[in-house]
Amino acid sequence: MFASLCISAVGFANNVAPSRMGASSIVMEQSKAVPFLPKPPLLDGTMAGGDFDPLNLAVSPSRLAFYRDAEIKHCRLAMLAAANWPLAELLNKPLAKLIGLPAITDLTNGRAPSIPNGGLYEVNAVFWFIVLAVGALAEIGEINPLDSEARLAGDLGFDPLGLWPKMSTAEKRTMQEKELANGRLAMFVAAGFC
């Protein structure tokens, strides 16, 4: 992390160095996310979520849309993990008893099976095969790069209650900001469970 900050600082210094040709200097708008770095040129406020791209990875609008789509997927998975990890620990024993199977949490002192908690070897191999197959099928449908003109990043067309079309532009922006903020927090929470 320190190395990436140093690299970013060098890039920042090159962007705001005084011009050698004249007396004027280049003044760049500062990022709100990382105040000592220049604001990434593609993150102009039209997209929800702020201007955090200290390494300037989004070099084109299509790459930015691709990265945003990936971020939203990770946010949604992390929100599910943050909510379901404690539920898995609480409900494993009663559900296992209900269907007549041994509770996996008994092997890990009441904690959900994971790499640090142990117990992953006790989970049936068929389960892992099904999880990998479902994940692979979900990703196969998304192999084509995201066309930033075609759809909004993260919009999978799933709105069973029909709430999105009824919202104003400001309400849609607020919902996008909330989803990203909560999803980013959930990524830290889910990492903390491990």
Side-chain angles (χ1 to χ4, degrees):
M1 185 166 125
F2 178 73
S4 64
L5 287 176
C6 290
I7 291 168
S8 298
V10 168
F12 168 72
N14 289 338
N15 287 333
V16 296
S19 173
R20 303 277 186 242
M21 298 301 221
S24 66
S25 63
I26 298 171
V27 178
M28 295 190 71
E29 186 178 352
Q30 297 300 107
S31 169
K32 291 179 184 175
V34 187
F36 58 87
L37 293 178
K39 184 175 184 177
L42 290 176
L43 296 173
D44 56 3
T46 57
M47 186 179 271
D51 61 2
F52 184 77
D53 186 14
L55 299 178
N56 289 319
L57 296 175
V59 295
S60 68
S62 63
R63 290 309 294 172
L64 177 62
F66 175 80
Y67 287 139
R68 177 50 54 91
D69 198 50
E71 179 183 25
I72 291 173
K73 284 180 188 177
H74 285 87
C75 284
R76 289 173 180 166
L77 284 172
M79 286 188 279
L80 287 170
N84 287 316
W85 192 292
L87 288 175
E89 291 179 350
L90 291 173
L91 299 177
N92 180 265
K93 191 174 266 189
L95 290 176
K97 185 178 180 182
L98 182 71
I99 59 174
L101 293 174
I104 292 179
T105 54
D106 288 343
L107 302 171
T108 56
N109 297 326
R111 301 181 76 188
S114 65
I115 293 172
N117 296 343
L120 285 178
Y121 55 87
E122 294 293 331
V123 179
N124 194 327
V126 174
F127 171 79
W128 291 122
F129 177 77
I130 292 170
V131 167
L132 289 173
V134 168
L137 288 174
E139 288 299 320
I140 286 172
E142 293 292 320
I143 287 178
N144 295 332
L146 179 69
D147 182 7
S148 59
E149 308 280 328
R151 67 177 174 91
L152 187 62
D155 180 16
L156 302 176
F158 181 74
D159 185 13
L161 299 178
L163 299 176
W164 188 256
K166 297 175 187 173
M167 291 183 189
S168 68
T169 304
E171 289 172 327
K172 289 178 181 180
R173 175 66 179 236
T174 301
M175 292 303 289
Q176 291 172 328
E177 292 281 354
K178 287 178 180 178
E179 181 180 29
L180 281 169
N182 289 314
R184 289 170 178 168
L185 177 63
M187 284 191 263
F188 282 106
V189 170
F193 284 141
C194 293

